[in-house]
Amino acid sequence: PRSAQPRSAQPRSGQAQAARQLTVLAACYVMLFLLGVAEGVVGAFHYSGGIGPIPGAALGFGALLLVTCLLAAWGMYRPVAGLMPAVGWFAASFVLAMRTPGGSIVITNTTAGKWFLFGGAVCAAAGVVASFAIWSAGRGGPRPAELRYRKPGS
């Protein structure tokens, strides 16, 4: 039986699948950005914890950001995925480091605050550079097309 719509009005299977893949990819990038924002917000309120004079929490949040960037790029096989948490962290952390009109500030100019901001920025940059160095095209890493399910013996 023929459908009531003309053939040109019906989406092609390949076009619909490509649109779905693009939607999922965009949603993944948004979620990685929001993960970076969450790390920045949580870190901004808990960076001051430490062991004596060592700002351990600030260092831990920086290391967490580095690992997040690397795992994001690894998980999606795309170096841009490693950039998304870093951008989210930068947005959240630097907004919370700015002074409000009322004079309050979340990330203070202390040793722990400096380690959180500058150490986090260095870790984010290192994660992004490593992501692009490892998972860029032409590096020989696995590509999604190579990871598709194959029947045994094919």
Side-chain angles (χ1 to χ4, degrees), residues 27-124:
C28 289
Y29 284 143
V30 168
M31 293 306 293
L32 288 171
F33 174 81
L34 292 176
L35 176 63
V37 169
E39 287 181 11
V41 169
V42 170
F45 288 102
H46 296 286
Y47 69 89
S48 60
I51 304 165
I54 301 170
L59 296 172
F61 283 115
L64 176 66
L65 181 60
L66 173 69
V67 170
T68 302
C69 292
L70 291 173
L71 288 177
W74 174 75
M76 292 186 66
Y77 296 104
R78 296 171 187 266
V80 175
L83 179 66
M84 293 291 103
V87 170
W89 181 88
F90 272 109
S93 296
F94 285 99
V95 164
L96 291 171
M98 292 189 290
R99 187 176 307 268
T100 64
S104 61
I105 189 167
V106 176
I107 302 174
T108 57
N109 189 19
T110 61
T111 302
K114 290 175 187 176
W115 275 100
F116 176 71
L117 287 176
F118 297 123
V122 167
C123 288

Side-chain angles (χ1 to χ4, degrees), residues 66 69-70 73 79 82 123-136 139:
L66 173 69
C69 292
L70 291 173
C123 288
V128 170
V129 168
S131 297
F132 276 91
I134 295 170
W135 287 284
S136 289
R139 286 285 183 170

